Amino acid sequence: MNAGAGLTGRTGRTQVFEVSTLYGAATLAAALDAGMFEPGRRVLLVTNNAAVPEAAATLDEMTGWAAIAARFDTVVDWNETVFPNHPSLWAPPETDTAAWQRLLRVAWDLGNGPLDLVVESVHAKPAAALAEIFADADVHVYADGLMSYGPTRERLLWPTACRVQRLLHLDLLPGLTPLLLSEFGAPAEIVPDAAFRAVLDEISGACAEPAVARRVPGERTAVILGQYLAALNILSAAQEEGLHERMLRGAARAGCAHVVFKPHPTAPAQYSKALEKAAADAGVRLTVLDTPMLAETVFDRVGPDLVVGCFSTAMLTASVYYGIPIARVGTDLVLGRLRPFQNSNRVPVSLVDAYVPDIEALTGGLETLPGTPEDAGAALGALVRVLGYTMQPRMHAPLRGGAEQWLAEHQGGLAARYVRRSKLTALALPGGFASGVAGQMPGRRAALRLVRKVRARTVGKS
C-alpha cells in the first residue's frame, strides 16, 4: 500500500489510525475533515479481519479507497506485519510488548514522541493488541455502526481503560446516546453529518460507471443488503439465503419492479443464484453487484426508492444521509438465534427491530410504508439501557432501577421480545419466573438458586 501524497512535514502528535472497513475509514476521514484531530503525522494501519483474508477483497480494491488514503502520510498493512498470524487472533506475549513498540516505532517512522492510537473495537484484536503494544499512547475509539449504542462487550483492563479519551460515532439514531465505553466516563462525540456525507460523495465520485445499475424510467427500484450472517454463525447458509429471498419478495410486494442486490464482500456466489430464481418467480428484474464498493455508493448512484435489509448499519445510513425509505426483514429470526445473550449484535438487531418498519407487514404498496419517527432516539434510549443492564449487569449496575421500571411497564410485550425470560429470572427482574418472590426472599443469591430449581422442575413436568 502506498503513502498519502503531499502530507509530509506536519508537526504535532503522531497518530495511528486502525481501520478494517472502507466505511470505518470514511468515518475517520470525516472526523479529520471536521477538525476532530489536531495536525500531526498520520499513519493509516489497515487490517483485514476476514476469516480467510487472502480470499476477501482488500480495502485498496474498493471504489473510492484512494481518496481516503490520500489524507494520511503513510498506509501500512497489519496483516503483513503479523504474518503468518491472523490479525483477529494474534497478540504479543506480555513480555514482548515493549520490544514490539520499539520495532514498530522504527518500522513505521513514528519517532519517540507522544502517540495517539485511534482504533475500532478496542476490546477485541487487533485493536486490543495495539493498545497493549503502545502502552503509553492515548486511545481514541471510533464506532462506524449500530454497535456503538450497545454496552462494551467485555470489561477492559484498567491499563487500557484509563487511556480511553473519547468515543467518536455517527449520529445514526438522532437523540440516542451510545452506551459503549460509558462505564469509564468516556465522552461520546458525534462526527458531523455534513462531513460524513461529503466523504461519501467523494467516494461515490470515484466510481467509474455513471450508474452501477440501469434504471428504467417510471420503474421503482429497491436495494436489498446482504450481511453474510452465516459467517458469524448467527444463521445457517440456507437461512440467510432465505432471508435474501424474503427481502426480494417484500420489495416486489411494495411495488418495486427492479431489485439491486448488494451482497456482503465475502458472501458465497450461490446466494446470487438463489435470488435469480426468486426474482423470476416474483416477476422482478434483478441486478447483482459484483464490484467491491460501499452500499452508500450504490444509494448515491442508483437513487433507490427503497432499501431493505436485516440489521445492516447501511439501512440507517440510507435513511439519515440519503432520505431513502427503509424496511427490515428477519430481525425476529435473528433475535431468537443470538447466543450468548450478551452477543454484541443484540443491540443493533433490537434497535432496527424497534425502529424500522417490517416490510412483510405491509398491507399495500410502498406508499403505505410507515416513516421512521423523528423522536425515536429518545424513545429507544430506555430500551438500550434495559439491554445494557441485562447484557452486562455488573458493568452497568446503576441502570438496574430504570430497567426494572421499564420491564414492569412492558411485561408480556416488548420485554418478552427483547429480553429472554431466563435472563429476567436469573437477574430477578420483572417478567422472570417468580421474580416477585425472589425479590422478597432474604439472601438474593440463595433466592435466585431456589427460583432456578423450581423453574427447572416446572419445565421438566410440562
Side-chain angles (χ1 to χ4, degrees), residues 48-268:
N48 187 334
N49 300 330
V52 184
E54 295 80 5
T58 59
L59 284 182
D60 56 4
E61 296 174 333
M62 298 282 288
T63 299
W65 168 252
I68 300 299
R71 289 171 167 81
F72 300 86
D73 296 281
T74 305
V75 181
V76 294
D77 191 317
W78 182 243
N79 290 58
E80 291 181 0
T81 302
V82 302
F83 183 84
N85 300 288
H86 193 286
S88 295
L89 301 175
W90 181 84
E94 185 176 353
T95 54
D96 292 349
T97 54
W100 269 93
Q101 178 172 170
R102 290 195 297 270
L103 172 69
L104 295 180
R105 279 184 176 269
V106 172
W108 297 346
D109 193 22
L110 302 180
N112 297 316
L115 188 71
D116 285 327
L117 186 60
V118 188
V119 298
E120 56 183 352
S121 303
V122 67
H123 51 276
K125 301 180 184 71
L130 289 166
E132 292 174 10
I133 291 171
F134 296 106
D136 53 353
D138 287 346
V139 178
H140 305 255
V141 179
Y142 73 95
D144 59 13
L146 293 173
M147 284 188 185
S148 65
Y149 295 108
T152 312
R153 185 184 304 175
E154 54 192 46
R155 185 175 293 277
L156 292 179
L157 296 177
W158 182 245
T160 296
C162 68
R163 293 183 286 133
V164 175
Q165 305 297 307
R166 56 180 172 167
L167 170 69
L168 301 175
H169 71 100
L170 299 172
D171 199 19
L172 296 171
L173 287 165
L176 185 61
T177 301
L179 205 55
L180 182 66
L181 299 173
S182 62
E183 68 272 21
F184 302 113
E189 298 182 12
I190 294 174
V191 177
D193 289 350
F196 186 61
R197 177 57 198 264
V199 172
L200 293 179
D201 289 345
E202 185 178 354
I203 293 173
S204 176
C207 184
E209 297 294 329
V212 297
R214 181 177 57 85
R215 292 198 59 166
V216 175
E219 179 184 70
R220 282 183 170 175
T221 297
V223 171
I224 62 175
L225 302 170
Q227 287 182 255
Y228 199 17
L229 302 177
L232 302 176
N233 295 318
I234 295 175
L235 300 180
S236 68
Q239 285 174 321
E240 183 158 28
E241 200 172 89
L243 204 62
H244 297 155
E245 294 173 17
R246 288 168 61 186
M247 293 177 191
L248 183 143
R249 289 193 293 268
R253 284 195 301 271
C256 295
H258 180 205
V259 173
V260 178
F261 178 46
K262 172 64 175 69
H264 190 277
T266 57

Side-chain angles (χ1 to χ4, degrees), residues 138-435:
D138 287 346
V139 178
H140 305 255
V141 179
Y142 73 95
D144 59 13
L146 293 173
M147 284 188 185
S148 65
Y149 295 108
T152 312
R153 185 184 304 175
E154 54 192 46
R155 185 175 293 277
L156 292 179
L157 296 177
W158 182 245
T160 296
C162 68
R163 293 183 286 133
V164 175
Q165 305 297 307
R166 56 180 172 167
L167 170 69
L168 301 175
H169 71 100
L170 299 172
D171 199 19
L172 296 171
L173 287 165
L176 185 61
T177 301
L179 205 55
L180 182 66
L181 299 173
S182 62
E183 68 272 21
F184 302 113
E189 298 182 12
I190 294 174
V191 177
D193 289 350
F196 186 61
R197 177 57 198 264
V199 172
L200 293 179
D201 289 345
E202 185 178 354
I203 293 173
S204 176
C207 184
E209 297 294 329
V212 297
R214 181 177 57 85
R215 292 198 59 166
V216 175
E219 179 184 70
R220 282 183 170 175
T221 297
V223 171
I224 62 175
L225 302 170
Q227 287 182 255
Y228 199 17
L229 302 177
L232 302 176
N233 295 318
I234 295 175
L235 300 180
S236 68
Q239 285 174 321
E240 183 158 28
E241 200 172 89
L243 204 62
H244 297 155
E245 294 173 17
R246 288 168 61 186
M247 293 177 191
L248 183 143
R249 289 193 293 268
R253 284 195 301 271
C256 295
H258 180 205
V259 173
V260 178
F261 178 46
K262 172 64 175 69
H264 190 277
T266 57
Q270 66 262 27
Y271 283 4
S272 302
K273 298 296 183 183
L275 270 181
E276 290 175 3
K277 182 180 184 304
D281 293 341
V284 299
R285 185 165 61 91
L286 175 67
T287 300
V288 178
L289 300 177
D290 54 8
T291 302
M293 65 177 66
L294 283 180
E296 290 71 23
T297 298
V298 181
F299 303 156
D300 182 64
R301 290 307 181 99
V302 174
D305 302 282
L306 174 68
V307 171
V308 186
C310 184
F311 65 100
S312 170
T313 293
M315 297 166 63
L316 278 299
T317 310
S319 175
V320 172
Y321 298 103
Y322 294 89
I324 303 170
I326 57 177
R328 61 176 168 86
V329 169
T331 49
D332 50 349
L333 171 64
V334 175
L335 283 171
R337 296 274 302 180
L338 287 179
R339 298 289 188 280
F341 185 80
Q342 61 267 28
N343 188 303
S344 55
N345 287 296
R346 186 167 300 280
V347 167
V349 179
S350 299
L351 287 174
V352 171
D353 184 85
Y355 179 71
V356 180
D358 183 356
I359 198 167
E360 294 180 318
L362 280 186
T363 57
L366 185 57
E367 60 278 355
T368 66
L369 186 72
T372 51
E374 295 182 359
D375 60 345
L380 292 173
L383 174 60
V384 166
R385 290 188 289 273
V386 169
L387 290 172
Y389 174 71
T390 53
M391 291 170 68
Q392 299 290 349
R394 293 184 179 179
M395 196 180 299
H396 290 291
L399 299 180
R400 181 178 176 90
E404 288 178 327
Q405 180 179 348
W406 189 90
L407 290 166
E409 295 172 352
H410 296 87
Q411 285 192 54
L414 293 178
R417 185 171 182 83
Y418 298 121
V419 187
R420 295 178 191 150
R421 195 180 187 197
S422 59
K423 175 60 66 172
L424 297 175
T425 299
L427 296 174
L429 289 168
F433 181 81
S435 57

Side-chain angles (χ1 to χ4, degrees), residues 23-43:
Y23 193 92
T27 303
L28 289 179
L32 289 171
D33 293 350
M36 301 182 78
F37 290 93
E38 65 181 49
R41 176 172 170 75
R42 294 169 179 167
V43 176

